[in-house]
Amino acid sequence: MNLAKHTGVALIDGNNIYTYHDIIDQVAKYRGMLSNPWPYVMRSDYSCEAVCKLVALWQNGRTVVPIVPSNKASDERKITAVNLETFDEPSVVLFTSGTTGEPKIVKHPFRSLVDRLPEPRRQKRLNILLFLMFDHI
């Protein structure tokens, strides 16, 4: 999908408005910064920065683990669980709610997520309100 040909607003984050060109520039910046091969733990909730990092990590073939900061003990359990895993292919790693006491890892290969996206036929005006946490299944 070629975002460079799109104009207008791509993302609104609080009081900040980002165009498609802003997103492309930020993704390019993060691609250069986030190029090592290890899984990347991203402590963040929804933001333009987090979305751009997620796209850059995917483009760099990295596994990304988004964690919405909650409490240090919970975050550390998730990070420990990730460190014990092996990743055969670049993935986004999410966690179940941990009702048994320990959060469980769910690996979603980027390939299978991106392959499901159809090529857009025409640009549509679309408004979306996100209210789930970034790492929520």
Side-chain angles (χ1 to χ4, degrees), residues 53-105:
K53 282 183 179 179
L54 181 67
V55 171
L57 290 161
W58 160 62
Q59 289 180 341
N60 282 352
R62 299 270 308 273
T63 290
V64 61
V65 185
I67 296 178
V68 174
S70 55
N71 68 60
K72 189 171 181 153
S74 173
D75 293 352
E76 291 303 319
R77 280 196 312 270
K78 290 177 180 178
I79 292 168
T80 299
V82 168
N83 287 336
L84 298 174
E85 285 289 318
T86 58
F87 299 95
D88 299 329
E89 60 185 314
S91 303
V92 62
V93 177
L94 302 176
F95 298 90
T96 62
S97 59
T99 55
T100 61
E102 293 298 321
K104 294 183 181 51
I105 290 176

Side-chain angles (χ1 to χ4, degrees), residues 2-133:
N2 183 3
L3 294 181
K5 67 182 178 181
H6 293 283
T7 60
V9 174
L11 188 99
I12 299 173
D13 180 11
N15 293 326
N16 300 311
I17 297 173
Y18 299 92
T19 66
Y20 287 97
H21 293 283
D22 295 332
I23 301 294
I24 291 167
D25 291 345
Q26 285 195 38
V27 168
K29 176 182 84 169
Y30 289 126
R31 281 196 73 185
M33 295 169 54
L34 303 170
S35 59
N36 69 49
W38 304 290
Y40 182 84
V41 176
M42 183 168 53
R43 287 187 171 108
S44 179
D45 204 348
Y46 286 113
S47 68
C48 182
E49 178 183 13
V51 169
C52 292
K53 282 183 179 179
L54 181 67
V55 171
L57 290 161
W58 160 62
Q59 289 180 341
N60 282 352
R62 299 270 308 273
T63 290
V64 61
V65 185
I67 296 178
V68 174
S70 55
N71 68 60
K72 189 171 181 153
S74 173
D75 293 352
E76 291 303 319
R77 280 196 312 270
K78 290 177 180 178
I79 292 168
T80 299
V82 168
N83 287 336
L84 298 174
E85 285 289 318
T86 58
F87 299 95
D88 299 329
E89 60 185 314
S91 303
V92 62
V93 177
L94 302 176
F95 298 90
T96 62
S97 59
T99 55
T100 61
E102 293 298 321
K104 294 183 181 51
I105 290 176
V106 180
K107 296 185 259 187
H108 298 280
F110 277 117
R111 173 191 41 76
S112 65
L113 296 173
V114 174
D115 286 352
R116 293 181 185 186
L117 296 175
E119 202 52 45
R121 293 192 182 125
R122 64 176 194 203
Q123 188 174 0
K124 297 179 182 178
R125 182 164 179 83
L126 180 65
N127 295 317
I128 298 174
L129 174 64
L130 299 174
F131 57 91
L132 293 175
M133 292 185 288

